[in-house]
């Protein structure tokens, strides 16, 4: 079983080495000591969210303090290309569920999308609170899945910003029920074409009411490919994570493929 993960401040592991003692306080220290009830000698990982992982064992835990003796410090490089979920804002918490699962499945970034047909609207204080909640959800999912990198959750994009992002991407895929090509075939052709696997691979998931024809035309004109994910319609909370699982396999991001 993998060791539990606790966050430290970005950059705080840059100058540490094997044998050093790192002290974690506050919420993370309290969680380790009073919720997880870790005892001296138990293995833990400390990560800074930017790819640095310190592996060690508990020296002391109590109150809001966790002290860890490091046994190794590893720097996990960023992947050569970024898998990005573009998730349209949706009712309830379906968009947050999508961001959470996408993090567990390897997304490198999540972009909230204010689609033309999104019922939910992010404006002013509500928008700021919603963005902060998405970021908290993604951070918690990264911790649960033992990731050293916490995916970026960007500011919400409107159609114009997203069109520009599509034009700059290595590949942009719109998951659409009327598409003729399967996602697997789109990804296999992309990989077979042997472009440099760098930049961004975007997966666009529309809102409950679907992507408007005008938006779809703009995205395709900017270079997006349409793909069919499944023979039946998936909810907005499951479509993106399902696409990322397929991409992780087809593009060699998951073990067992080159």
């Amino acid at each position: 079983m993998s060791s539990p993960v606790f966050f430290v401040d970005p950059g705080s592991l840059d100058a540490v080495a094997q044998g050093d003692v790192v002290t974690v306080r506050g919420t993370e220290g309290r969680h380790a000591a009073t919720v997880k009830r870790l005892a001296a000698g138990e293995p833990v990982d400390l990560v800074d969210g930017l790819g640095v992982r310190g592996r060690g064992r508990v020296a002391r835990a109590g109150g809001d303090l966790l002290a860890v003796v490091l046994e190794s410090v590893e720097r996990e490089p960023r992947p050569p290309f970024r898998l990005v979920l573009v998730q349209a804002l949706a009712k309830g918490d379906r968009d947050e569920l999508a961001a959470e699962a996408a993090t567990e499945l390897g997304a490198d970034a999540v972009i909230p999308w204010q689609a033309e047909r999104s019922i939910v609207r992010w404006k002013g204080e509500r928008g700021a609170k919603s963005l902060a909640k998405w970021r908290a959800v993604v951070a918690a999912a990264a911790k649960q899945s033992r990731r050293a990198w916490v995916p970026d959750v960007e500011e919400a994009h409107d159609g114009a910003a997203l069109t520009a992002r599509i034009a700059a991407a290595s590949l942009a895929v719109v998951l659409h029920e009327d598409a003729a090509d399967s996602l697997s075939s789109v990804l296999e052709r992309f990989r077979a074409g042997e472009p440099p696997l760098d930049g961004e691979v975007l997966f666009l998931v529309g809102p409950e009411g679907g992507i408007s024809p005008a938006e779809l035309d703009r995205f395709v004109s900017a270079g997006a490919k349409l793909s069919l994910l499944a023979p039946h319609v998936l909810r907005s909370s499951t479509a993106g994570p399902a696409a990322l699982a397929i991409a992780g396999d087809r593009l060699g991001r998951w073990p067992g493929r080159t």
Side-chain angles (χ1 to χ4, degrees):
M1 182 176 177
S2 57
S3 301
V5 162
F6 298 95
F7 288 138
V8 296
D9 291 337
S12 62
L13 297 177
D14 290 350
V16 300
Q18 181 180 1
D20 287 348
V21 176
V22 176
T23 299
V24 182
R25 293 186 178 274
T27 302
E28 289 293 270
R30 186 176 302 106
H31 185 246
T34 64
V35 178
K36 300 290 288 186
R37 297 184 179 277
L38 296 180
E42 293 192 68
V44 296
D45 286 2
L46 304 179
V47 302
D48 70 349
L50 296 177
V52 182
R53 182 188 303 272
R55 301 184 187 273
R57 292 187 178 273
V58 176
R60 183 161 59 96
D64 68 347
L65 181 144
L66 170 67
V68 177
V69 180
L70 294 180
E71 297 177 343
S72 67
V73 180
E74 304 165 4
R75 287 165 175 80
E76 301 178 11
R78 278 191 183 276
F81 60 94
R82 301 207 318 158
L83 295 176
V84 182
L85 172 64
V86 180
Q87 178 67 47
L89 304 184
K91 294 185 298 182
D93 59 357
R94 294 197 181 281
D95 45 15
E96 293 171 16
L97 289 173
E100 179 181 55
T103 300
E104 296 174 14
L105 291 164
D108 299 300
V110 177
I111 299 175
W113 169 28
Q114 186 75 71
E116 289 182 359
R117 291 181 174 174
S118 289
I119 297 173
V120 175
R121 316 302 292 182
W122 280 12
K123 294 181 179 179
E125 184 178 349
R126 177 183 180 181
K129 288 182 178 179
S130 297
L131 180 60
K133 188 175 181 182
W134 277 42
R135 287 173 172 165
V137 165
V138 164
K143 180 177 179 179
Q144 185 277 330
S145 52
R146 303 338 193 231
R147 293 186 60 173
W149 287 95
V150 176
D152 299 322
V153 180
E154 302 186 21
E155 297 283 343
H157 281 37
D158 60 12
L162 188 51
T163 300
R165 194 67 170 264
I166 290 168
S170 296
L171 175 66
V173 180
V174 179
L175 305 176
H176 200 277
E177 61 185 299
D178 292 334
D181 289 338
S182 70
L183 178 59
S184 291
S185 65
V186 170
L187 293 175
E188 293 289 1
R189 285 200 302 271
F190 172 68
R191 194 175 189 193
E194 297 185 353
L197 277 177
D198 57 13
E200 293 187 328
V201 178
L202 309 177
F203 297 95
L204 281 68
V205 178
E208 299 94 328
I211 302 172
S212 74
E215 280 181 312
L216 195 60
D217 287 345
R218 288 195 296 270
F219 296 161
V220 171
S221 295
K225 310 295 184 184
L226 303 186
S227 78
L228 184 66
L229 185 58
H232 42 267
V233 177
L234 301 182
R235 290 185 182 273
S236 60
S237 56
T238 54
L244 285 163
I246 294 171
D249 178 59
R250 296 295 188 270
L251 300 181
R253 287 282 290 268
W254 285 7
R257 294 183 68 94
T258 58

